Amino acid sequence: MAGAPHIEIRDLTMAYGDFVVQRDVSFTVRKGDIFVVMGGNGCGKTTLMRNMIGLLPPAGGAVLYGGEDFWSAGPEDRERLKRRLGVMFQGGALWSSLPLGQNVGLPLEEYTDLPPQRIGEIVSFKLALVGLAGFEELYPAELSGGMRKRAGLARAMALDPEILIIDEPSSGLDPIAARRLDELILELRDSLGATIVVVTHDLASIFAVASDSIYMDTETHTMIATGDPREALKSGHPTVRRFLSRGAA
């Protein structure tokens, strides 16, 4: 049975000044989906993510979470809606001067009144979920690229968000590390029941994790509805098939 709508994007226009990146972008992400936003470099995937998480207002249209319009909400309601989101940025966005434990604990320190001991327990649990148990005292520079990505994911989960938004999870990783991260994303969806939006152009990741997707086209400056990419590879829009067929061998 399909889940209820968790995220709705309605007639979104993304622009920088007079330059329109994408227009007429509309899609629905249902509870429990792993929804992939895909397309080539420069198509606007990260701009869409910035519109969704509150970093950049869209030029037009609406972003709704559980039926609430994010950009029409007042400051307090917007902050409340942000608390429903966990974001993993492309490079992990870890503070280089802080060990992993403090990096992951920052959202808990900022948004809760939990005592330090309880924060430490939660941090250890989140790091264990991503395969980094016992790494609390290590600094980001002491980790591999894949480990930094997983640490960024642990921090994104610190406040038990309903929705995870993950930007280019496999970027800069070797194929084995990228595959492990894809497997982790699937495990988190299954174990935590989270709704996950993945922004990526990596074909191996798209086929590995996506239950639904859209393709953002650079030529027409709009999206192409896609659905399950495995089905789209067989019978989808010709532009999407060409994009996906590069990784079909």
Side-chain angles (χ1 to χ4, degrees):
M1 180 182 294
H6 214 172
I7 308 167
E8 294 175 87
I9 305 299
R10 295 181 181 171
D11 301 318
L12 206 69
T13 296
M14 297 170 278
Y16 295 97
D18 293 332
F19 176 71
V20 175
V21 181
Q22 292 279 325
R23 61 172 63 86
D24 302 325
V25 175
S26 296
F27 60 88
T28 297
V29 182
R30 299 187 177 276
K31 290 182 179 180
D33 273 353
I34 299 181
F35 191 99
V36 167
V37 178
M38 60 184 177
N41 290 331
C43 70
K45 300 186 300 296
T46 297
T47 303
L48 172 60
M49 187 193 81
R50 289 164 59 85
N51 289 167
M52 291 177 67
I53 66 176
L55 292 180
L56 179 71
V63 176
L64 295 93
Y65 292 103
E68 294 187 73
D69 189 334
F70 180 88
W71 288 104
S72 294
E76 290 186 4
D77 286 332
R78 198 177 295 172
E79 286 301 314
R80 174 178 53 81
L81 290 171
K82 283 183 183 180
R83 290 282 300 275
R84 300 174 66 179
L85 310 177
V87 182
M88 191 192 93
F89 294 96
Q90 182 172 339
L94 301 172
W95 292 95
S96 60
S97 60
L98 298 177
L100 286 195
Q102 291 184 39
N103 263 289
V104 176
L106 279 175
L108 294 162
E109 293 175 5
E110 183 171 355
Y111 293 109
T112 76
D113 296 321
L114 294 171
Q117 181 178 349
R118 180 57 181 151
I119 289 176
E121 293 170 353
I122 294 172
V123 165
S124 294
F125 174 67
K126 301 299 182 181
L127 286 172
L129 279 178
V130 300
L132 293 175
F135 284 72
E136 288 86 347
E137 299 304 318
L138 292 186
Y139 286 82
E142 298 176 286
L143 305 177
S144 68
M147 293 168 74
R148 285 194 294 272
K149 296 261 189 179
R150 285 187 278 150
L153 190 52
R155 188 176 61 186
M157 297 189 298
L159 294 171
D160 295 323
E162 302 170 23
I163 298 165
L164 284 171
I165 299 177
I166 303 174
D167 187 21
E168 298 287 4
S170 59
S171 175
L173 300 183
D174 64 71
I176 294 175
R179 178 59 183 168
R180 287 174 178 165
L181 195 56
D182 290 338
E183 291 170 352
L184 176 59
I185 290 169
L186 290 167
E187 289 171 7
L188 292 175
R189 189 273 310 272
D190 294 340
S191 62
L192 303 179
T195 300
I196 301 176
V197 177
V198 179
V199 175
T200 186
H201 65 274
D202 184 84
L203 296 178
S205 290
I206 290 167
F207 287 117
V209 305
S211 58
D212 199 357
S213 66
I214 59 165
Y215 176 85
M216 298 182 68
D217 188 33
T218 54
E219 294 184 6
T220 60
H221 296 281
T222 192
M223 57 160 276
I224 299 171
T226 302
D228 187 322
R230 290 163 287 271
E231 295 301 320
L233 179 61
K234 301 174 185 176
S235 58
H237 189 284
T239 298
V240 179
R241 290 206 312 269
R242 284 195 297 270
F243 176 82
L244 292 173
S245 64
R246 296 180 303 152

